[in-house]
Structure formats: structure tokens, C-alpha cells
Amino acid sequence: VIVPGEATHEIDLIEIASDNASLTPNAIKVTRNGQQMIDVKFMLAKDAPLGNMSATVTARLRVEAEETTVRIPAHGIVVGDAIVTPLEISATRSHVPRGEKVGEVLVRSSRGGRAPDIIGVQAVGPVRAELDRMQGEDLRKVSVFVADTASAGACSATVYVMTSAADSPVARVPVYFNVVSAIRATPDVIVLDATRATQRVELRSNTSAFTVKNVSASSKRIKTITITPKCEGASKPAVIEIAIAETVETVARGGLLTIETDLPGDEIVSIPVIVHR
């Protein structure tokens, strides 16, 4: 609805047009409660491509004796027979354990009633997708789980949902998540200074035994010693000692400790190191 700035002023439409052929504006002049205004309705073309749609509708108007131009941005998503939500699964604000559910994909009919059938589900990346059999006629559900072999840290994957919908048979849903590491480092940040020139680091896992294969530091100011390379449980951790390299003079005051293990998914454990000296 386009109204004049002053309620008593007369308003007339000179011209209205859309820069997207899939969106057609239709405008009429009306009077409500003694005030003139322009009602604009938007019609989407039947052959509009599915997916994200944007357009700008430009209306030339005359208010009293003065001409003005109004630009109306339009944004939306064109759906077919099926509505698949969400457009993406994003669980990056927390860490998800391996094997746990990270989200779900819902399929409904865009016109109400019986939902399209799900013909198949395919996952690409460190997730697995399963069709939920317990659902009503108006809803189909796909549950998405973190794969047991997913690497720790930030991960991404894609779930393809194949349906019986005539005009949108395949929906692509990106998945983003963070995987919690099965290895717990204590401490997870190392600070070395004159009063504490060495630091003991313990690596534990409550689920699996593992062996430290290699330890390296990004700064020559830091030296490492592997004391106990094998973790045999929460009470028997792998142990590494970190110290300031006394013979090295460098301006680098920090670095990253990289620990390589043989535990699938947790092959690399990184710990930041700060040196105050």
C-alpha cells in the first residue's frame, strides 16, 4: 500500500513496473476512510524458476502536483509441489558428538494435504541421513546424524532428499556443524613464563585408547618432550611436556602445538601456546 505523506493529498499512479519478468505488479487507486492510496498486488508467473527470487518494483506517482518515485524491493523463495525446510542445517554454535543427531529435514506439500513421498535419501560428507518412519500423512521427516568417522572441528556435508514431487523432485540441503573431539587436552591453553618454564599436558579419551605419533610446535621458542605416548583410558593419559627453548632468541611469543594421534577422527589435536619471557 502506497499512501501520501499528507492524508488530505491526492495521489495518482503514473506507471509501475518490475525488473523481474517473473513478478508482475498490479495497482489500483482506492479510498479508505476518506484517504486516497494505491494498492499494489504482486503476481508470480506460473513458469517462475524454483529457488530464491528477488526483484525491484518501481512506481512513479503524482502527489498533488509533484511527481515522485517509490522503489519496492521484493524477496522470496519460489516453491514447487514440495516445501522442504530448513534450507540448510547449521549447528555451528555448539559441538556435536559423533553419532548424535545434528538436525532434521521436513517435507510438506506446498498446497496442503498429503505430503510428497520420499523416494530416497543420500548424504555426501561426514553425516548419515535416515528416513523417520513415524510420521503423519501431511509430513515427511529425515533425521541427520553426525557420522561416527567425522573429523573433530568444523565440518560440512550435503543431504539430498528425493521426493515424488513433479516439479521439484530433488532437494539439496547443506549441513554445517562442529564435531566435539574425543580427546580432551589438559590444559587446553598453555602459558609459559619465567615462573613456569615447563608445562605438563595430559591427553585423555573416555572412549578409545590412542597413541601420540608426533608432536611439533610452530615456534622455535617452544620445545616438546613426549613422556608417555600412549593413552590407555581416562586414568592413564598420554603425557607431553612443553618448555621454553632457552637457546633460541626470537620475537615470536606464541605458537601452536600440533599433536598427531592414531585415533580416527582425532588425528590432529591443536593447542595454543603463549610464551611470556
Side-chain angles (χ1 to χ4, degrees):
V1 179
I2 305 173
V3 298
E6 294 289 339
T8 58
H9 286 178
E10 183 175 349
I11 186 172
D12 291 294
L13 177 69
I14 301 172
E15 181 184 29
I16 190 167
S18 169
D19 64 357
N20 187 330
S22 295
L23 191 70
T24 302
N26 295 303
I28 59 171
K29 182 178 177 179
V30 298
T31 300
R32 295 191 184 95
N33 299 322
Q35 182 179 4
Q36 294 184 3
M37 57 191 70
I38 306 296
D39 275 0
V40 185
K41 294 185 178 180
F42 301 89
M43 179 68 70
L44 195 64
K46 291 184 178 181
D47 60 350
L50 301 181
N52 293 324
M53 184 276 300
S54 63
T56 299
V57 174
T58 303
R60 288 181 56 218
L61 305 151
R62 182 181 295 109
V63 180
E64 294 293 292
E66 183 178 347
E67 286 192 15
T68 188
T69 300
V70 174
R71 291 178 175 82
I72 307 167
H75 304 282
I77 300 171
V78 182
V79 299
D81 296 340
I83 296 179
V84 179
T85 55
L87 298 180
E88 68 176 39
I89 296 173
S90 181
T92 56
R93 296 197 176 190
S94 60
H95 284 73
V96 185
R98 297 181 182 96
E100 294 293 317
K101 186 175 180 178
V102 71
E104 57 189 24
V105 180
L106 305 178
V107 179
R108 298 181 176 89
S109 169
S110 61
R111 295 176 174 83
R114 179 183 173 85
D117 294 325
I118 294 181
I119 299 172
V121 178
Q122 294 291 325
V124 178
V127 296
R128 74 175 193 276
E130 299 178 359
L131 179 61
D132 190 338
R133 301 295 178 181
M134 302 299 293
Q135 49 200 329
E137 289 291 310
D138 61 343
L139 176 67
R140 313 292 183 213
K141 183 189 297 184
V142 175
S143 296
V144 182
F145 301 86
V146 177
D148 294 334
T149 56
S151 298
C155 294
S156 62
T158 302
V159 173
Y160 294 93
V161 180
M162 303 159 188
T163 74
S164 60
D167 56 4
S168 53
V170 179
R172 175 184 177 274
V173 181
V175 185
Y176 306 98
F177 55 98
N178 291 317
V179 179
V180 65
S181 174
I183 297 177
R184 184 175 72 258
T186 308
D188 57 1
V189 174
I190 301 169
V191 178
L192 301 176
D193 54 31
T195 62
R196 184 169 51 186
T198 63
Q199 174 70 62
R200 176 187 172 99
V201 180
E202 296 182 349
L203 303 172
R204 293 178 171 84
S205 174
N206 294 328
T207 59
S208 305
F210 65 89
T211 301
V212 173
K213 297 167 58 178
N214 186 49
V215 181
S216 60
S218 62
S219 171
K220 293 181 179 180
R221 199 178 184 89
I222 305 163
K223 68 177 181 179
T224 65
I225 303 172
T226 302
I227 298 174
T228 306
K230 187 173 181 59
C231 170
E232 298 179 3
S235 61
K236 295 183 178 180
V239 179
I240 299 167
E241 188 174 273
I242 313 300
I244 300 174
E246 299 288 350
T247 59
V248 176
E249 292 296 334
T250 175
V251 295
R253 298 268 176 146
L256 198 64
L257 184 68
T258 301
I259 304 167
E260 300 176 30
T261 80
D262 62 356
L263 187 61
D266 289 290
E267 290 87 355
I268 301 294
V269 177
S270 298
I271 303 175
V273 183
I274 302 172
V275 180
H276 295 302
R277 184 79 178 234

